[in-house]
Amino acid sequence: MALGRIVLAKRERVMALEPYERGLLGTTLHYPYEVRAAKDYFAEIPELTPAPELLRLAEHILDSKLHAFDPSGFRDRYEEALMAHLKAKQAGRPPQPKQSWTSPGRVINLMEALRRSIAANKAEALPRSMAADKKPEAPRRPAPARKRA
């Protein structure tokens, strides 16, 4: 194995090179200040023993979702667009305008839906006589700013 330095993403990094089949395998390494002790992150997590039936249920869920990973389903859209742009530039064609994205259709404001749901639940929780007598509160105004001497 050999150690060397390489610049990736505008940073110098340490790299380990080792023979692998008919080529070389490069692995970027972390500097000591980048490596943190696990106890700093996991010390506050209490030791718990889950119930055996919960473990069996979790194993069942994981087993039912298990399947072979096929990386061909993923593609690097950024690199594809960059290569298409460079090839067009080499061919002397003008740059293509950006793709226009279609409208997502109906957009739901989740915070507003949550507020309406909470308000509806509060109204249902009040007895009918109280709900009829209850007046909406006036919005609070911020306190006037104090002058500093």
Side-chain angles (χ1 to χ4, degrees):
M1 182 179 290
L3 294 177
R5 293 188 182 158
I6 186 170
V7 176
L8 292 172
K10 300 180 183 179
R11 283 192 61 203
E12 183 180 80
R13 301 176 190 274
V14 178
M15 177 176 259
L17 290 174
E18 58 184 314
Y20 183 77
E21 294 183 4
R22 296 176 55 191
L24 292 175
L25 176 66
T27 305
T28 55
L29 304 175
H30 292 279
Y31 289 101
Y33 71 88
E34 295 175 312
V35 179
R36 297 182 180 134
K39 66 180 177 183
D40 296 341
Y41 297 96
F42 301 109
E44 294 179 13
I45 298 175
E47 288 288 330
L48 298 175
T49 304
E53 61 271 5
L54 290 178
L55 284 176
R56 284 193 301 276
L57 178 61
E59 288 174 357
H60 171 72
I61 292 171
L62 291 174
D63 288 341
S64 68
K65 301 295 180 185
L66 185 65
H67 67 287
F69 175 68
D70 181 16
S72 67
F74 297 92
R75 39 183 260 264
D76 187 347
R77 295 179 301 188
Y78 174 79
E79 186 172 341
E80 289 173 0
L82 179 62
M83 294 306 293
H85 176 75
L86 292 175
K87 287 178 182 176
K89 193 171 184 176
Q90 285 176 339
R93 293 191 305 261
Q96 297 294 321
K98 291 182 181 178
Q99 292 180 354
S100 62
W101 298 99
T102 60
S103 171
R106 184 174 174 229
V107 178
I108 299 171
N109 183 334
L110 294 178
M111 289 304 294
E112 186 57 36
L114 178 61
R115 286 186 190 107
R116 284 195 307 262
S117 174
I118 291 171
N121 286 341
K122 283 183 181 178
E124 289 175 6
L126 290 175
R128 291 184 192 264
S129 61
M130 288 180 63
D133 295 338
K134 186 165 173 115
K135 296 179 183 175
E137 292 182 21
R140 294 184 182 182
R141 294 184 182 164
R146 295 180 182 175
K147 293 183 181 179
R148 295 185 184 197

